[in-house]
Amino acid sequence: EPTNHLDVVAKEELKKAAETNRRKAQRNTNNILSIALIKAYLAEGNECNYQKIAEYLNSQQARASRGGEHSAKSVMRLIQRYNINNNGE
């Protein structure tokens, strides 16, 4: 089937935008602090429960990427994005 030139351009722009978002997330100081705290929390032998980790991060005044409180979802995204295992590695 013929490919529409605009579709090709749009796909390339979406890829660029996704890469830009990835780079921003990796440099975000809130994320960097939260990742360090998550790794330490898990390394202490605590279970990998997203809600409990979010509560821990909030108790430490760590903020989610855009400055709000952490939720189970924000913790899940950080753990997945940075490939953190249950041992905090």
Side-chain angles (χ1 to χ4, degrees), residues 30-41 50-64 68-72 74-76 78-79:
N30 290 334
N31 288 353
I32 293 167
L33 174 60
S34 295
I35 289 300
L37 288 170
I38 291 170
K39 287 180 174 183
Y41 179 85
Y50 299 148
Q51 184 58 44
K52 287 182 180 179
I53 295 171
E55 291 167 5
Y56 170 72
L57 292 174
N58 292 330
S59 77
Q60 300 299 306
Q61 283 79 47
R63 293 290 168 220
E69 288 196 342
H70 278 284
S71 64
S74 68
V75 170
M76 180 193 75
L78 285 171
I79 288 173

Side-chain angles (χ1 to χ4, degrees), residues 6-74:
L6 290 177
D7 288 341
V8 172
V9 171
K11 284 181 184 177
E12 288 176 17
E13 291 303 315
L14 285 172
K15 283 172 70 174
K16 285 182 190 176
E19 182 55 36
T20 297
N21 288 342
R22 257 189 298 284
R23 280 195 309 273
K24 281 177 150 180
Q26 289 171 339
R27 291 193 306 254
N28 184 298
T29 55
N30 290 334
N31 288 353
I32 293 167
L33 174 60
S34 295
I35 289 300
L37 288 170
I38 291 170
K39 287 180 174 183
Y41 179 85
L42 293 173
E44 291 174 2
N46 294 298
E47 71 174 300
C48 187
N49 176 299
Y50 299 148
Q51 184 58 44
K52 287 182 180 179
I53 295 171
E55 291 167 5
Y56 170 72
L57 292 174
N58 292 330
S59 77
Q60 300 299 306
Q61 283 79 47
R63 293 290 168 220
S65 61
R66 292 190 291 170
E69 288 196 342
H70 278 284
S71 64
K73 188 77 160 181
S74 68

